[in-house]
Amino acid sequence: MVLGSALSLQFGSAVAALLFPRAGALGVVALRLLFSAVLLLALFRPRLRGHTRADWLAVAGLGVALGTMNTLFYQAIERIPLGAAVTLELLGPLVLSVVASRRLVSLAWAALAGGGVYLLSAGDFGRLDTGGVAYALAAGAMWTAYILFNARTGARFPKVDGLALAMGVAALVSAPLGVVSAGPALLDPVTLGLGAAVAVLSSGVPYTLEMFALRRLPAATFAVLMSLMPAAATTAGFLVLGQSMGPVQLLAVALVVAASMGAVRASRG
């Protein structure tokens, strides 16, 4: 289920990239978050009453982090290959794991990740668009904020009610940028249909699979498996977008994945 979630999410991102010529990155992310919000709110029907101010602040923080993270990430994959973008984005949660661990071995995992990033910059990916790299790293920072706010929201709301409400906030964050950027292109029937498909692939399927997986797997195991995101992204980028990677770049992705797994395990004890 976790692997299926990772593949669905990254194939959804690849399909989203195909939509960029129609509506641009900002327009596509607005469609994705809007349809995702409608889907989650309809499926889980979160309760709106009976929540404290602190509850709503947690939801707002999660929604802003979610909307900003996706907006930055889509800006990144508009400029650099999907596999590289997810590999760089993963550095955010990896840094969080290293800081949370406070163990000397975590520095070794950080060094391993640094080696992976060096290989990315030393090979053909050394010609990566600087803006795309910056967007991917910024998305990684927001991924860290998403993790922290998600934990806080999950403790205050039952099941995935908090996430569903936060997705609505994320849609509100991204919608103005999408409308200004894409305008009438967002109303094209084909664009709307593919935007809905991206929402199902990137939100509906992954969140459902992850919810069921967390009922069967320890959280630490789940976190380690989620470190395989760059491998899933590389596969989706190759199959859907024709983005090939050489042996050096594949080794770089493998090093970052291994470093993330090691850092997560170290932070868990």
Side-chain angles (χ1 to χ4, degrees), residues 18 22 24 51 72 80-81 86 108 111 119 126 134 138 145 188 201 225 233 235 251 258 263:
L18 295 176
R22 287 180 170 271
H51 302 299
L72 292 169
I80 61 177
V86 175
L119 288 178
D188 176 71
L201 284 171
L225 289 173
T235 302
L251 176 60

Short mmCIF file of all heavy atoms in Angstrom, two decimals, residues 18 22 24 51 72 80-81 86 108 111 119 126 134 138 145 188 201 225 233 235 251 258 263:
data_model
loop_
_atom_site.label_atom_id
_atom_site.label_comp_id
_atom_site.label_asym_id
_atom_site.label_seq_id
_atom_site.Cartn_x
_atom_site.Cartn_y
_atom_site.Cartn_z
N LEU A 18 2.44 17.11 -17.76
CA LEU A 18 1.93 17.10 -19.12
C LEU A 18 0.90 18.22 -19.34
O LEU A 18 0.67 18.64 -20.47
CB LEU A 18 1.28 15.75 -19.44
CG LEU A 18 2.22 14.53 -19.46
CD1 LEU A 18 1.40 13.26 -19.70
CD2 LEU A 18 3.29 14.69 -20.54
N ARG A 22 -0.88 23.57 -21.10
CA ARG A 22 -2.27 24.00 -21.18
C ARG A 22 -2.61 25.09 -20.16
O ARG A 22 -3.32 26.05 -20.49
CB ARG A 22 -3.21 22.81 -20.95
CG ARG A 22 -3.28 21.83 -22.10
CD ARG A 22 -4.24 20.69 -21.76
NE ARG A 22 -4.51 19.85 -22.93
CZ ARG A 22 -5.49 20.08 -23.79
NH1 ARG A 22 -6.30 21.10 -23.62
NH2 ARG A 22 -5.68 19.29 -24.83
N GLY A 24 -0.19 25.98 -17.31
CA GLY A 24 0.93 26.44 -16.51
C GLY A 24 0.99 25.73 -15.16
O GLY A 24 0.01 25.12 -14.71
N HIS A 51 -14.70 22.93 17.50
CA HIS A 51 -13.24 23.01 17.49
C HIS A 51 -12.78 24.32 18.12
O HIS A 51 -13.45 25.35 18.01
CB HIS A 51 -12.70 22.90 16.06
CG HIS A 51 -13.10 21.65 15.34
ND1 HIS A 51 -12.75 20.41 15.80
CD2 HIS A 51 -13.83 21.46 14.21
CE1 HIS A 51 -13.24 19.49 14.98
NE2 HIS A 51 -13.90 20.10 14.02
N LEU A 72 5.34 25.28 -4.85
CA LEU A 72 6.78 25.30 -5.08
C LEU A 72 7.24 24.06 -5.85
O LEU A 72 8.07 24.16 -6.77
CB LEU A 72 7.53 25.39 -3.75
CG LEU A 72 7.38 26.70 -2.98
CD1 LEU A 72 7.93 26.56 -1.57
CD2 LEU A 72 8.08 27.84 -3.71
N ILE A 80 12.89 21.31 -13.92
CA ILE A 80 13.89 20.25 -13.82
C ILE A 80 13.18 18.89 -13.82
O ILE A 80 11.98 18.82 -13.56
CB ILE A 80 14.76 20.39 -12.55
CG1 ILE A 80 13.89 20.30 -11.28
CG2 ILE A 80 15.53 21.70 -12.57
CD1 ILE A 80 14.70 20.36 -9.99
N PRO A 81 13.91 17.80 -14.12
CA PRO A 81 13.28 16.48 -14.16
C PRO A 81 12.63 16.09 -12.84
O PRO A 81 13.09 16.49 -11.76
CB PRO A 81 14.46 15.55 -14.49
CG PRO A 81 15.42 16.42 -15.23
CD PRO A 81 15.30 17.77 -14.58
N VAL A 86 12.23 15.55 -6.79
CA VAL A 86 11.82 14.82 -5.58
C VAL A 86 13.04 14.47 -4.73
O VAL A 86 12.97 14.49 -3.49
CB VAL A 86 11.02 13.56 -5.96
CG1 VAL A 86 10.69 12.74 -4.72
CG2 VAL A 86 9.74 13.95 -6.68
N ALA A 108 26.52 11.04 9.71
CA ALA A 108 26.99 10.18 8.62
C ALA A 108 25.93 10.09 7.52
O ALA A 108 26.25 10.11 6.32
CB ALA A 108 27.33 8.79 9.15
N ALA A 111 25.97 13.26 5.60
CA ALA A 111 27.11 13.28 4.68
C ALA A 111 26.82 12.43 3.43
O ALA A 111 27.19 12.79 2.31
CB ALA A 111 28.37 12.77 5.38
N LEU A 119 26.77 14.33 -6.50
CA LEU A 119 26.75 13.57 -7.75
C LEU A 119 25.70 14.13 -8.71
O LEU A 119 25.91 14.15 -9.93
CB LEU A 119 26.45 12.09 -7.47
CG LEU A 119 27.57 11.29 -6.81
CD1 LEU A 119 27.12 9.86 -6.55
CD2 LEU A 119 28.82 11.31 -7.68
N GLY A 126 24.21 18.70 -13.54
CA GLY A 126 24.88 19.93 -13.17
C GLY A 126 24.36 21.10 -13.98
O GLY A 126 24.57 22.26 -13.61
N ALA A 134 16.18 25.68 -6.72
CA ALA A 134 15.76 26.50 -5.57
C ALA A 134 14.32 26.19 -5.18
O ALA A 134 14.00 26.07 -3.99
CB ALA A 134 15.92 27.98 -5.90
N ALA A 138 13.10 24.65 -1.63
CA ALA A 138 12.09 25.36 -0.86
C ALA A 138 10.88 24.47 -0.59
O ALA A 138 10.30 24.51 0.50
CB ALA A 138 11.66 26.63 -1.60
N ALA A 145 7.67 21.60 7.21
CA ALA A 145 6.58 22.29 7.91
C ALA A 145 5.29 21.47 7.84
O ALA A 145 4.54 21.39 8.83
CB ALA A 145 6.36 23.66 7.30
N ASP A 188 -11.19 24.91 -19.61
CA ASP A 188 -11.17 23.98 -20.74
C ASP A 188 -11.56 22.58 -20.26
O ASP A 188 -11.00 22.09 -19.27
CB ASP A 188 -9.78 23.94 -21.36
CG ASP A 188 -9.68 22.93 -22.49
OD1 ASP A 188 -10.26 23.17 -23.55
OD2 ASP A 188 -9.05 21.87 -22.27
N LEU A 201 -5.04 10.78 -8.56
CA LEU A 201 -3.76 10.09 -8.50
C LEU A 201 -2.86 10.65 -7.40
O LEU A 201 -2.16 9.89 -6.71
CB LEU A 201 -3.03 10.21 -9.84
CG LEU A 201 -3.52 9.33 -10.98
CD1 LEU A 201 -2.84 9.73 -12.29
CD2 LEU A 201 -3.27 7.86 -10.68
N LEU A 225 9.71 3.50 4.29
CA LEU A 225 9.21 3.18 2.96
C LEU A 225 8.91 4.44 2.16
O LEU A 225 9.10 4.47 0.94
CB LEU A 225 7.96 2.31 3.06
CG LEU A 225 8.19 0.87 3.52
CD1 LEU A 225 6.86 0.16 3.74
CD2 LEU A 225 9.02 0.10 2.50
N ALA A 233 9.55 8.59 -8.28
CA ALA A 233 9.52 9.76 -9.16
C ALA A 233 10.38 9.53 -10.39
O ALA A 233 10.00 9.93 -11.51
CB ALA A 233 10.00 10.99 -8.39
N THR A 235 11.02 6.68 -11.81
CA THR A 235 10.29 5.75 -12.67
C THR A 235 9.18 6.46 -13.43
O THR A 235 9.03 6.28 -14.64
CB THR A 235 9.68 4.62 -11.81
OG1 THR A 235 10.72 3.95 -11.10
CG2 THR A 235 8.93 3.61 -12.68
N LEU A 251 22.72 6.59 -9.15
CA LEU A 251 23.47 6.37 -7.91
C LEU A 251 23.22 7.50 -6.93
O LEU A 251 23.06 7.28 -5.71
CB LEU A 251 24.97 6.26 -8.21
CG LEU A 251 25.90 6.13 -6.99
CD1 LEU A 251 25.56 4.87 -6.19
CD2 LEU A 251 27.37 6.11 -7.44
N ALA A 258 18.95 6.12 0.56
CA ALA A 258 19.58 5.38 1.65
C ALA A 258 19.82 6.29 2.85
O ALA A 258 19.61 5.89 4.01
CB ALA A 258 20.90 4.76 1.19
N ALA A 263 18.54 8.03 8.29
CA ALA A 263 18.23 9.13 9.20
C ALA A 263 16.91 8.90 9.94
O ALA A 263 16.79 9.19 11.12
CB ALA A 263 18.19 10.45 8.44
#
